[in-house]
């Protein structure tokens, strides 16, 4: 007989250790280790598995792929175009979805307003954090409507209510607030959160209902519960944005039923989140044309073209070490681009402070923004504005070459749609590009220097 085992688990990040530690080596939290009992042996022994496999249950035997029946998954319409798109065309029946994000970013608002629109479905909104009264107030703020609410933190009681109420979708806000009475760990601990999620996964697979979990993520992203949950759930959505800006981006990080390249953009207003169907128009502040330090990048985020302004401020370093700071852009990549400018194009920037900002507080991971970053840095350095009506796309390589980017025709047509007169693109992208009716001048460039000549042409 295996004996009960115990371990010490960090309540902040779930790191486990055989002995108690004062400080978690994984997340750095102090005094966060609590003892948990792990029960019997961690995995079924070989002999045990062998015995149970001899049972007649056909769902547990080895099958050929051709034997398995194909059925398309049923998708439920959330009546929110952006939300549907990020989910891959609606919420899959019998799936477990995790919506992660920092506290206060708008997760509860997004879900509540979506639920309010789903009047054709039976949705149960379970809140473990807010009172009925608070939810009512928020719903009124979002425009009202009638939905079913349950304020409860016990998983068993949620199951009980769900059995009576028989909803199609259950929203649980948040998974960190829920605990199981059977679990031995205390509520909110990593073990509890994980056990509840595993239990809910089993629940959705057995009943065919869909469950959306809300999970809080701390500022540095990696800590707290949701990272552990990502392996368990079917779909992970991330709601992000800078709290001081109004834009929020809903991104798919993992999706067992669709692609993760989709993106939903919302604007936080006093009456809730409004889907932004035309993001480029909002992200471009037309007033900044003709100013130095500003350039427009034709990027693709997810599968959508997005024109974004990069703004740079370059000034002489006041004290010894030059400062570099970037908002919405990877600082290491900025340093790399500055090194390319220094080494390959002969610009002396080592003694300069460089500040970079992407307008709107949106994070961009598309490398095609590189060229625009370089151009805005030089535009600020020499106090010379980019010639009007110009935008650009291109990844910058270590030898100063402009590398090709994906989906070039989409970028060109978005730039044209928004009234840009010229777009600078990588030479290598010219092959096979259909310029269409020629409403926009497409300028191919091969090296950083060539691009600069074009950009600052008056
Ligand atoms: P919330 O949805 O509670 O965030 P989360 O569930 O992710 O913790 O709300 C986030 C913020 O949104 C809150 O501070 C106030 C703001 N807000 C609006 O600006 N407009 C609105 O209509 C609502 C409901 C909230
Ligand atoms: Mg909330």
């Amino acid at each position: 007989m295996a004996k009960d085992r115990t371990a010490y688990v960090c309540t902040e990040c779930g790191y486990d250790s055989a002995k108690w530690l004062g400080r978690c080596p994984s997340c750095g939290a102090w005094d966060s280790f609590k003892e948990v009992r792990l029960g019997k042996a961690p995995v079924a022994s070989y002999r045990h598995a062998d015995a149970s496999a001899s049972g007649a249950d056909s769902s547990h035997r080895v099958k050929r792929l051709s034997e398995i029946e194909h059925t398309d998954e049923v998708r439920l319409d959330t009546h929110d175009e952006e939300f549907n798109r990020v989910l891959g065309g609606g919420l899959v029946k019998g799936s477990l979805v995790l919506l992660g994000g920092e506290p206060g970013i708008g997760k509860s608002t997004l879900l509540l307003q979506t639920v309010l629109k789903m009047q054709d479905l039976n949705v149960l909104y379970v809140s473990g954090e807010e009172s009925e009264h608070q939810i009512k107030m928020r719903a009124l703020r979002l425009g009202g409507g009638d939905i079913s609410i349950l304020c409860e933190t016990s998983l068993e009681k949620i199951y009980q209510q769900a059995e009576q109420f028989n909803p199609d979708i259950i929203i649980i806000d948040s998974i960190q607030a829920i605990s199981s009475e059977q679990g031995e760990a205390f509520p909110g601990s990593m073990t509890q959160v994980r056990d509840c999620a595993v239990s809910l996964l089993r629940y959705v697979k057995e009943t065919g209902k869909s469950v959306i979990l809300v999970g809080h993520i701390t500022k540095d992203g990696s800590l707290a519960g949701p990272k552990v949950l990502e392996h368990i759930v079917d779909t992970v959505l991330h709601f992000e944005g800078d709290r001081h800006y109004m834009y929020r981006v809903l991104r798919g990080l993992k999706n067992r039923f669709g692609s993760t390249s989709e993106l939903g953009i919302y604007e936080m207003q006093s009456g809730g989140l409004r889907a932004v169907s035309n993001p480029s128009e909002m992200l471009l502040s037309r007033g900044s044309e003709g100013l130095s330090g500003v350039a427009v990048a034709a990027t693709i985020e997810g599968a959508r073209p997005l024109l974004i302004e990069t703004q740079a401020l370059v000034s002489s370093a006041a004290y010894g070490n030059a400062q570099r700071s970037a908002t919405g852009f990877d600082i290491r990549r900025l340093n790399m681009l500055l090194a390319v400018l220094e080494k390959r194009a002969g610009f002396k920037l080592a003694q300069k402070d460089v500040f970079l900002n992407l307008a709107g507080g949106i994070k961009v991971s598309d490398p095609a923004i590189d060229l625009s970053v370089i151009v805005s840095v030089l535009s600020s350095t020499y106090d010379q504005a980019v010639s009007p009506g110009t935008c650009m796309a291109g990844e910058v390589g270590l030898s100063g070459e402009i590398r090709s980017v994906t989906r070039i025709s989409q970028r060109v047509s978005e730039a044209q749609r928004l009234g840009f007169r010229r777009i600078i693109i990588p030479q290598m992208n010219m092959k096979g590009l259909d310029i269409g009716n020629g409403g926009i001048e497409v300028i191919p460039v091969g090296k950083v220097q060539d691009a600069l000549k074009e950009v600052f042409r008056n």
Side-chain angles (χ1 to χ4, degrees):
M1 255 314 262
K3 272 201 299 189
D4 276 9
R5 300 169 315 123
T6 60
Y8 292 86
V9 176
C10 172
T11 52
E12 296 290 326
C13 71
Y15 181 88
D16 58 76
S17 153
K19 58 185 199 312
W20 187 86
L21 299 171
R23 181 168 192 249
C24 176
S26 167
C27 69
W30 291 95
D31 194 22
S32 62
F33 278 83
K34 294 283 178 289
E35 187 175 6
V36 290
R37 274 209 299 142
L38 296 177
K40 302 280 183 299
V43 283
S45 68
Y46 170 68
R47 197 181 292 265
H48 173 85
D50 194 40
S52 66
S54 61
D57 187 354
S58 72
S59 65
H60 291 292
R61 69 177 173 82
V62 178
K63 282 183 190 164
R64 301 287 296 173
L65 205 50
S66 54
E67 288 178 68
I68 299 168
E69 244 179 272
H70 171 72
T71 42
D72 272 336
E73 61 264 12
V74 181
R75 288 184 186 263
L76 307 170
D77 184 4
T78 62
H79 297 278
D80 180 325
E81 202 187 310
E82 306 284 302
F83 203 56
N84 275 346
R85 187 196 359 239
V86 177
L87 285 168
L91 181 61
V92 172
K93 211 162 169 281
S95 70
L96 182 61
V97 177
L98 172 69
L99 174 66
E102 285 168 31
I105 205 74
K107 302 178 295 296
S108 307
T109 307
L110 177 66
L111 288 177
L112 188 62
Q113 77 172 48
T114 309
V115 169
L116 283 168
K117 281 188 245 169
M118 289 193 271
Q119 294 296 337
D120 55 334
L121 291 167
N122 200 0
V123 187
L124 178 60
Y125 186 98
V126 181
S127 179
E129 295 187 343
E130 284 163 291
S131 68
E132 291 164 4
H133 185 67
Q134 280 171 309
I135 298 171
K136 170 101 192 177
M137 283 204 324
R138 191 195 296 249
L140 285 176
R141 191 170 168 187
L142 295 173
D146 209 9
I147 56 166
S148 311
I149 302 281
L150 173 67
C151 290
E152 183 56 70
T153 57
S154 147
L155 190 61
E156 283 77 16
K157 294 203 177 114
I158 294 170
Y159 284 149
Q160 251 171 36
Q161 289 289 317
E163 197 152 324
Q164 285 174 18
F165 182 72
N166 196 24
D168 303 304
I169 303 176
I170 305 178
I171 311 265
I172 296 187
D173 186 1
S174 68
I175 182 71
Q176 275 104 342
I178 303 296
S179 62
S180 164
E181 286 158 17
Q182 286 159 12
E184 282 149 358
F186 63 93
S189 77
M190 217 36 261
T191 329
Q192 266 284 4
V193 167
R194 191 173 45 203
D195 290 352
C196 289
V198 170
S199 162
L200 282 162
L201 182 71
R202 213 174 305 131
Y203 175 76
V204 297
K205 298 301 163 199
E206 279 167 16
T207 60
K209 300 184 192 315
S210 308
V211 173
I212 304 182
L213 303 174
V214 169
H216 296 296
I217 294 181
T218 51
K219 192 84 192 168
D220 28 358
S222 56
L223 302 186
K227 269 285 166 215
V228 186
L229 300 181
E230 285 180 9
H231 305 287
I232 301 169
V233 301
D234 294 312
T235 303
V236 180
L237 306 182
H238 199 239
F239 204 38
E240 59 191 34
D242 196 315
R243 223 181 308 170
H244 305 293
Y245 290 96
M246 47 195 181
Y247 301 110
R248 302 284 182 271
V249 176
L250 183 66
R251 227 182 258 276
L253 294 187
K254 160 181 172 179
N255 195 349
R256 287 188 180 144
F257 306 105
S259 86
T260 50
S261 62
E262 291 294 355
L263 195 76
I265 300 179
Y266 295 89
E267 187 186 2
M268 182 62 97
Q269 295 179 335
S270 58
L273 290 153
R274 189 182 70 86
V276 177
S277 47
N278 233 338
S280 301
E281 268 163 30
M282 310 200 47
L283 291 173
L284 292 177
S285 50
R286 284 304 169 96
S288 57
E289 211 168 55
L291 299 179
S292 66
V294 178
V296 177
T299 67
I300 299 262
E301 271 303 296
R304 298 168 93 179
L306 208 59
L307 268 72
I308 291 188
E309 230 172 58
T310 58
Q311 303 174 338
L313 181 67
V314 179
S315 63
S316 297
Y319 312 99
N321 284 344
Q323 288 185 62
R324 268 85 211 262
S325 115
T327 313
F329 191 73
D330 183 10
I331 183 85
R332 282 169 303 182
R333 186 133 192 113
L334 174 63
N335 282 327
M336 188 278 273
L337 292 175
L338 295 177
V340 169
L341 277 181
E342 179 117 15
K343 187 95 180 163
R344 305 287 176 197
F347 295 101
K348 297 275 167 272
L349 296 165
Q351 295 306 314
K352 303 279 190 193
D353 287 341
V354 178
F355 306 98
L356 181 76
N357 187 18
L358 299 197
I362 285 194
K363 255 189 245 133
V364 175
S365 47
D366 180 8
I369 199 169
D370 287 356
L371 184 56
S372 168
V373 168
I374 280 193
V375 167
S376 48
V377 166
L378 289 180
S379 165
S380 174
T381 310
Y382 296 102
D383 204 11
Q384 193 177 354
V386 172
S387 45
T390 305
C391 65
M392 59 211 76
E395 180 180 349
V396 175
L398 288 181
S399 60
E401 82 278 19
I402 311 283
R403 307 174 62 116
S404 60
V405 296
T406 54
R407 301 172 194 250
I408 191 70
S409 44
Q410 237 178 306
R411 298 176 200 257
V412 174
S413 40
E414 178 77 352
Q416 183 175 357
R417 194 178 67 77
L418 289 165
F420 281 87
R421 294 193 299 279
R422 305 160 76 218
I423 180 165
I424 292 166
I425 68 163
Q427 178 92 57
M428 284 184 276
N429 274 123
M430 280 307 275
K431 216 163 76 185
L433 174 67
D434 180 13
I435 297 175
N437 60 12
I440 183 167
E441 187 188 354
V442 177
I443 304 168
V445 291
K447 291 217 152 298
V448 168
Q449 290 93 323
D450 307 340
L452 297 178
K453 263 183 232 143
E454 292 296 338
V455 168
F456 297 113
R457 192 174 77 185
N458 286 316

